[in-house]
Amino acid sequence: MAGPVNQQNEQLREAAALVAEAWPTKPAAGIVLGSGLGSLAGEVDAKAEFDLADLPGFPAATALGHRGRLICGTLAGVPVVAFQGRYHLYEGHNAAVAALPALLTAELGAAALIVSNAAGGVHPLFRTGDLMLIDDHINLQFQTPISAEKRSSPSYDSELSQLAAEQARQVGARMHRGVYVAMLGPTYETRSEYRLVRTIGGDAAGMSTVPEVLAARAAGLRVLGFSVITNVGFPDAIDGASGHEVIDVANRASAQLGEIVQGVLRRAFA
């Protein structure tokens, strides 16, 4: 009987074969679009589309703002696979399932993974609607999708990050650089939790992304990561946030983020 890892590997091969049959092009990059950021998928010149739940081993996406679609085509003239939605540990998935978009990206032969998320900002200079280029992360989800022999570091590609910073300046986006802290969720952080995040070196907190990044690096992919600061969580002046408000802010920021991502793709992979 095949173990869970062997079964997942077989399902990934089946999923990749299904995608390649409909779209026989090797992507240069995969893009994981987080809460409210799925509109960037509309910029892709789509050649094939799938519901994630129709791919072997992929469950349906259930989180608010996550459509659960895979879009295959070109963005800024570069072949990509864009995941319009992701899986979260708070939905009951383990880290191996949360890593599936990254693993499929690698199985399809891509060279890089670009991840995005909505996050609460704890840095005193951050404001709602700002972008943050992820320089590093802290994993407070206490799960990993990889085994010890596959670990890899550093997590985020310095060359791609530099290109993203240059693109942000060109489009006039207010983008910081910082450390993303992954929490379990699904509740938003308390004042004390935000204080903890800041104390341990975090600049923004969210509920995703790290499993994909760990899996991508273990598979040899270059990684570029962004957070949209959808609410601020200063411990002594915390603002309230709801899921719909988070998505509204992310949607407003997605146009600039889309310009940055497309600029990076053109310069790094075209």
Side-chain angles (χ1 to χ4, degrees):
M1 179 180 294
V5 173
N6 290 335
Q7 182 181 24
Q8 185 184 62
N9 290 339
E10 179 60 31
Q11 289 173 329
L12 282 167
R13 287 190 288 269
E14 293 174 2
L18 186 64
V19 172
E21 183 179 359
W23 184 62
T25 301
K26 184 170 80 171
I31 307 172
V32 180
L33 302 168
S35 298
L37 304 176
S39 60
L40 181 59
E43 301 296 320
V44 178
D45 182 9
K47 303 302 182 184
E49 299 187 26
F50 301 86
D51 285 329
L52 290 179
D54 290 337
L55 298 176
F58 281 69
T62 62
L64 184 66
H66 292 255
R67 289 193 59 193
R69 298 278 292 166
L70 172 61
I71 315 296
C72 307
T74 57
L75 181 63
V78 175
V80 299
V81 286
F83 296 86
Q84 200 174 14
R86 56 155 51 95
Y87 306 110
H88 303 80
L89 273 60
Y90 67 71
E91 297 173 84
H93 303 302
N94 60 29
V97 171
L100 283 172
L103 295 172
L104 181 57
T105 297
E107 189 69 31
L108 289 168
L113 182 73
I114 301 173
V115 294
S116 64
N117 59 56
V122 299
H123 191 287
L125 295 181
F126 287 8
R127 298 293 180 266
T128 299
D130 286 356
L131 301 177
M132 186 185 84
L133 181 63
I134 302 176
D135 276 335
D136 205 353
H137 67 239
I138 297 172
N139 184 5
L140 294 187
Q141 295 182 326
F142 304 111
Q143 288 192 38
T144 176
I146 62 174
S147 57
E149 64 270 15
K150 291 186 177 181
R151 59 189 172 192
S152 180
S153 183
S155 297
Y156 299 89
D157 189 272
S158 58
E159 181 181 347
L160 294 179
S161 294
Q162 183 59 35
L163 289 177
E166 293 170 5
Q167 288 300 126
R169 287 192 290 270
Q170 288 185 19
V171 304
R174 181 179 164 91
M175 188 169 75
H176 312 274
R177 302 181 75 138
V179 176
Y180 175 81
V181 179
M183 316 282 278
L184 277 175
T187 56
Y188 294 108
E189 291 74 22
T190 67
R191 288 175 176 168
S192 295
E193 287 168 339
Y194 275 130
R195 188 175 289 112
L196 169 67
V197 167
R198 189 67 186 141
T199 299
I200 64 175
D203 298 293
M207 308 169 192
S208 65
T209 301
V210 167
E212 294 127 311
V213 170
L214 293 174
R217 290 298 300 127
L221 300 182
R222 302 168 69 187
V223 175
L224 175 64
F226 301 94
S227 292
V228 176
I229 306 304
T230 51
N231 59 292
V232 291
F234 309 139
D236 298 317
I238 196 168
D239 65 354
S242 71
H244 291 288
E245 289 168 344
V246 164
I247 291 170
D248 286 343
V249 174
N251 279 329
R252 292 196 296 271
S254 64
Q256 282 190 324
L257 181 56
E259 289 184 75
I260 294 167
V261 169
Q262 291 184 68
V264 171
L265 288 172
R266 276 192 293 267
R267 295 178 63 182
F269 301 107

